[in-house]
Amino acid sequence: MRSKRKKVAVILFGVLFLCACGKQHQPSAEKIHIGVTYYNQGDTFLNQLISSFGNQLEKMKSDKLDITMTIRGASSSQRIQDDQVKELIDAGCNVLCVNLVDRTDPSEIIDLAREHDVPIIFFNREPVAEDMLQWEKLYYVGADAEQSGMLQGELAVDAILENPRIDRNRDGKIQFVVLEGEPGHQDAIIRTENAVDTLKSNGIELEKLSYRIANWNRAQAQSRMMQMISQYQNKIELVLANNDDMALGAVDAYQKLNYTETDIPVFFGIDGTDVGLEAVLDKRLAGTVYNDKENQAAAMAELAVDIVSKNGKARKDKYIYLPYFKVTDDNAASILKKVEMSGKKK
Ligand code: GAL
Ligand code: CA
């Protein structure tokens, strides 16, 4: 009886031993749980950037890499976003991608992340330099605001030189207005300044009629543009908008007021969102500047995987900036196609 028990025990032990060895040959997949929170779920560019991020992560999944993602929108409230970061960390995220509501106020989020040793990739809304030094596991992925303004300025210079009818009242000056993004955002004032400086340094005489803040938002831009039209009627020759949604809001305003083509200005945006590219294609916008969301998303995805699997050791550079490029009706169709292809499943 006793020896039978002994035999069973030996066999059981053997089976367990074999199981354990088998496991060693098949290491379990690396688990990457990414928590994303972004400032506002109504933002066209960010919705497309995050969807591209999801597609890229999907393509990186493998037997060795188990990637999951949880996304939260912060309804433009920093307090809500702070709570979301807490929730994401509690849910077991091992890396965070944060698009700050208030880019000057990341301390609470950084403290929470550091307490739990969860690295943060900030994106699109750049924290101030000193805050990026608060901890070594902070990164930023974005683009160079100055360059986007310069490229928008160059697009406008080309259009004005090519088409003298843009100066509708033929006074040798271009009467223009600006639609600006959120105050305090690195992409608002810097874009405007660089676009205007580029026009001036290329010898274009300008007369700034007015500007309005429309917070990146198409509906707000439409209503601000209606105000400016009622003030200046058909005097406006050029609209510089800090992004495509606001440029399109300006177009909407003229459409709503039934302006005919001979009385409407030329419009320039920045982003190259799907709606922006389509508007360049059908010439509602004279041009836009591509804010390279696919490569920004790819940089975030690679960085996230690297940070978790190599514990951040492979990365010394905290900043990744992707370049912008110009979009006119010459290349809008091919870019739209590329964007569509990159969204396809693997
Ligand atoms: C900018 C972009 C805007 C808006 C903003 C949000 O880079 O051009 O459309 O998305 O970021 O932070
Ligand atoms: Ca003029």
Side-chain angles (χ1 to χ4, degrees):
M1 192 64 178
R2 208 177 251 175
S3 77
K4 218 178 183 182
R5 261 199 214 150
K6 229 182 190 175
K7 252 188 205 161
V8 171
V10 169
I11 292 170
L12 256 177
F13 179 76
V15 170
L16 285 175
F17 182 73
L18 278 176
C19 286
C21 287
K23 256 193 185 158
Q24 257 181 20
H25 287 299
Q26 243 182 13
S28 57
E30 180 99 56
K31 280 197 169 48
I32 304 193
H33 188 179
I34 306 176
V36 180
T37 161
Y38 66 121
Y39 87 104
N40 189 291
Q41 34 294 53
D43 188 285
T44 309
F45 172 75
L46 281 168
N47 281 327
Q48 287 196 236
L49 167 63
I50 290 166
S51 122
S52 170
F53 184 51
N55 290 335
Q56 318 235 15
L57 291 172
E58 204 54 48
K59 290 178 190 164
M60 289 168 90
K61 281 186 188 169
S62 71
D63 297 344
K64 293 192 188 103
L65 213 53
D66 173 13
I67 307 177
T68 48
M69 172 165 75
T70 308
I71 305 173
R72 295 285 177 267
S75 308
S76 289
S77 155
Q78 191 56 62
R79 201 183 47 74
I80 290 179
Q81 187 165 58
D82 295 350
D83 290 346
Q84 289 174 339
V85 165
K86 195 164 183 313
E87 178 215 323
L88 290 167
I89 292 175
D90 288 346
C93 290
N94 49 7
V95 55
L96 296 168
C97 291
V98 178
N99 173 253
L100 285 165
V101 174
D102 180 349
R103 56 185 278 268
T104 65
D105 188 16
S107 290
E108 185 143 345
I109 288 177
I110 294 174
D111 288 349
L112 274 168
R114 186 170 32 198
E115 239 168 71
H116 296 84
D117 198 28
V118 180
I120 307 178
I121 302 171
F122 291 107
F123 64 103
N124 168 267
R125 299 160 77 89
E126 186 171 345
V128 283
E130 297 96 83
D131 285 329
M132 287 293 288
L133 296 174
Q134 283 195 43
W135 185 33
E136 77 267 17
K137 292 187 182 171
L138 305 177
Y139 302 86
Y140 178 72
V141 175
D144 173 16
E146 241 173 65
Q147 186 197 20
S148 57
M150 276 167 51
L151 296 181
Q152 187 184 55
E154 285 175 16
L155 283 168
V157 170
D158 289 348
I160 291 161
L161 296 180
E162 248 167 55
N163 183 2
R165 275 178 309 176
I166 290 176
D167 178 14
R168 282 201 316 273
N169 65 355
R170 295 172 195 222
D171 65 347
K173 289 185 212 154
I174 301 296
Q175 280 71 27
F176 78 107
V177 301
V178 181
L179 284 164
E180 279 183 1
E182 292 160 277
H185 191 299
Q186 85 277 347
D187 289 338
I189 298 281
I190 296 179
R191 282 180 177 169
T192 306
E193 277 176 4
N194 281 276
V196 170
D197 288 350
T198 303
L199 277 150
K200 284 185 185 155
S201 65
N202 278 277
I204 307 289
E205 273 215 54
L206 292 174
E207 184 185 346
K208 185 168 184 173
L209 297 177
S210 188
Y211 77 97
R212 291 285 191 285
I213 290 166
N215 300 307
W216 312 119
N217 181 280
R218 183 165 178 162
Q220 284 185 37
Q222 178 185 326
S223 88
R224 306 289 180 273
M225 193 69 220
M226 306 264 272
Q227 293 166 359
M228 293 194 282
I229 298 170
S230 81
Q231 196 173 348
Y232 297 102
Q233 277 96 40
N234 60 1
K235 285 205 185 77
I236 304 166
E237 298 173 335
L238 164 69
V239 177
L240 295 175
N242 286 164
N243 77 343
D244 285 353
D245 263 17
M246 294 190 293
L248 286 166
V251 174
D252 296 341
Y254 281 93
Q255 228 166 35
K256 197 160 182 197
L257 296 170
N258 285 322
Y259 265 66
T260 56
E261 207 170 311
T262 47
D263 277 337
I264 65 168
V266 283
F267 306 87
F268 291 91
I270 291 179
D271 275 347
T273 51
D274 290 353
V275 279
L277 292 172
E278 275 152 19
V280 173
L281 256 185
D282 62 28
K283 296 188 164 53
R284 276 172 295 144
L285 299 186
T288 187
V289 177
Y290 202 73
N291 195 355
D292 193 349
K293 56 189 179 299
E294 286 74 25
N295 280 313
Q296 290 166 27
M300 287 163 63
E302 272 167 36
L303 187 54
V305 171
D306 240 35
I307 294 174
V308 177
S309 54
K310 297 184 189 134
N311 202 15
K313 290 205 174 76
R315 296 285 183 163
K316 287 215 170 57
D317 41 339
K318 289 167 86 86
Y319 286 90
I320 301 177
Y321 293 103
L322 280 301
Y324 286 93
F325 57 87
K326 291 183 224 178
V327 183
T328 62
D329 59 345
D330 285 339
N331 60 352
S334 75
I335 298 167
L336 251 178
K337 205 175 250 162
K338 257 196 222 156
V339 171
E340 232 177 73
M341 294 299 295
S342 76
K344 293 242 162 76
K345 299 260 159 353
K346 63 174 160 186

